Amino acid sequence: MKWNAYWGKQAASVLKHYPGEDERTVEYTVLSLAKIVYGMDCLHMATRAAAGQYALSVLPPRWHKLIREALRINRIRSSTSYYESEQARTEEMRQFIRYVIDYCEIKRIEEEQPSVTELADGT
């Protein structure tokens, strides 16, 4: 799958309009970004849960705790969080969002497609 306007706008929008830190937002944001990574790497789509499992296999270990947290929320919302505070989880999610945007930019450069900034600005 080539980097395109849809995926670029999705990744940029997540950071630009950063949502709150409730569990549903963490699950949706992290696993949706995992779907973007999966789609770009595998050339087809997967469920958020399958994309999260894929992300555990290809993204650096630094992100595994956050991805596991999102998968935990996806499966059983009542189980105990891997994080001691919502603030720590939120900060890590912000860093993950930036990481995925950078990941997408590298893919874009490899494919010589428009940048995330250009896509978000509509240029």
Side-chain angles (χ1 to χ4, degrees), residues 12-13 30 41 44 49 60 67 74-75 92 102 114 118:
S13 176
V30 172
D41 288 356
H44 60 278
I67 297 165
N74 181 265
R75 290 186 198 120
E92 188 149 324
D102 290 345
E118 292 168 337

Side-chain angles (χ1 to χ4, degrees), residues 8 10 16-17 19 30-31 45 56 73 75 100-101 104 112:
Q10 294 302 311
K16 192 176 201 181
H17 305 290
V30 172
L31 297 182
M45 296 309 303
L56 287 172
I73 296 164
R75 290 186 198 120
V100 172
I101 289 173
C104 292
E112 299 185 275

Side-chain angles (χ1 to χ4, degrees), residues 3 7-15 18-19 25-41 45 47-48 51-52 54-55 58-59 63 66-67 70 92-104:
W3 175 259
W7 293 120
K9 286 181 182 178
Q10 294 302 311
S13 176
V14 169
L15 189 57
Y18 182 73
T25 300
V26 172
E27 182 260 343
Y28 184 81
T29 301
V30 172
L31 297 182
S32 292
L33 291 170
K35 280 184 74 166
I36 292 171
V37 169
Y38 182 91
M40 293 182 74
D41 288 356
M45 296 309 303
T47 64
R48 285 195 312 269
Y54 174 79
V58 299
L59 296 182
W63 305 116
L66 183 64
I67 297 165
E92 188 149 324
M93 188 167 71
R94 286 182 178 158
Q95 293 172 15
F96 182 69
I97 293 166
R98 292 182 197 285
Y99 173 82
V100 172
I101 289 173
D102 290 345
Y103 181 93
C104 292

